Amino acid sequence: MSLSAPDELMAEYLDFYRDTVLRKLDGLSDEELRRSRVPSGWAPLEMLKHLAHVEMRWLQWGFSGETVREPWGDMECRGGKWRVGPEETSEEVRAFFREQCDRSRAIVAGASWEDRAATLGGKVLPGEERPALGWILFHLLQEYARHAGHLDIARELADGSIGE
């Protein structure tokens, strides 16, 4: 596959960051996954759940217009602090993340970059106000890049591990 086509390059970079996020969590104890080491208070497992919901909100709920049960299930309240319940295991959160990424890949495979989102936040806007898939994917890429950097710092503070 030639990675000169923008859609192929974007897919490869998104998968790279999806894998990077998971690798940053590998080897951390359940306590470390749930512990915040930053003043804003987020924990690594909460970030993973957040990224799973970002995938769901942008591609399933927003782009495809699918009904999703809890689009804001990563937050205490919409726009609030990220949360993972004590009953949620790290394995469950990882599996949920992988499921959302798989679903996102399937949605993207069946669409073109110029296709417009069906809804935005559950609301149907005029066509020109709905973002195109290409815009959504760039948004996801920058979200992953930023949060992978946050996890770099959290991991270094947790056990000294650095690098990709």
Side-chain angles (χ1 to χ4, degrees):
M1 165 172 47
S2 166
L3 293 182
S4 61
D7 57 339
E8 294 171 356
L9 186 61
M10 180 62 68
E12 290 291 322
Y13 268 106
L14 279 170
D15 280 342
F16 169 79
Y17 280 115
R18 289 167 177 146
D19 291 342
T20 298
V21 164
L22 288 172
R23 279 194 316 274
K24 289 292 173 185
L25 304 182
D26 286 345
L28 289 177
S29 68
D30 191 64
E31 178 184 341
E32 281 295 340
L33 288 169
R34 295 172 186 273
R35 178 180 179 192
S36 176
R37 293 189 171 267
V38 294
S40 56
W42 60 266
L45 194 59
E46 292 170 340
M47 181 176 287
L48 184 64
K49 185 176 177 183
H50 167 68
L51 287 168
H53 277 83
V54 165
E55 296 260 1
M56 178 195 302
R57 280 192 294 268
W58 277 105
L59 291 166
Q60 291 175 48
W61 191 43
F63 182 74
S64 289
E66 298 173 16
T67 300
V68 297
R69 199 170 54 111
E70 293 184 76
W72 301 99
D74 56 326
M75 299 184 182
E76 289 178 0
C77 62
R78 186 173 173 179
K81 184 182 178 316
W82 298 335
R83 68 169 174 84
V84 171
E87 75 287 353
E88 295 176 89
T89 68
S90 62
E91 292 81 17
E92 290 169 338
V93 174
R94 283 175 188 262
F96 178 66
F97 173 78
R98 286 185 184 106
E99 289 168 14
Q100 301 318 305
C101 293
D102 288 345
R103 181 68 186 115
S104 293
R105 285 183 200 99
I107 290 168
V108 171
S112 73
W113 271 43
E114 297 79 25
D115 291 346
R116 297 273 178 176
T119 69
L120 190 58
K123 299 176 183 150
V124 178
L125 302 173
E128 67 277 357
E129 292 181 31
R130 290 179 274 152
L133 179 59
W135 185 95
I136 292 169
L137 295 176
F138 274 106
H139 176 76
L140 288 177
L141 183 64
Q142 67 82 27
E143 179 117 3
Y144 270 104
R146 185 175 70 245
H147 288 325
H150 292 142
L151 285 172
D152 283 339
I153 294 165
R155 184 64 190 250
E156 185 174 359
L157 291 170
D159 67 4
S161 295
I162 57 172
E164 291 182 39

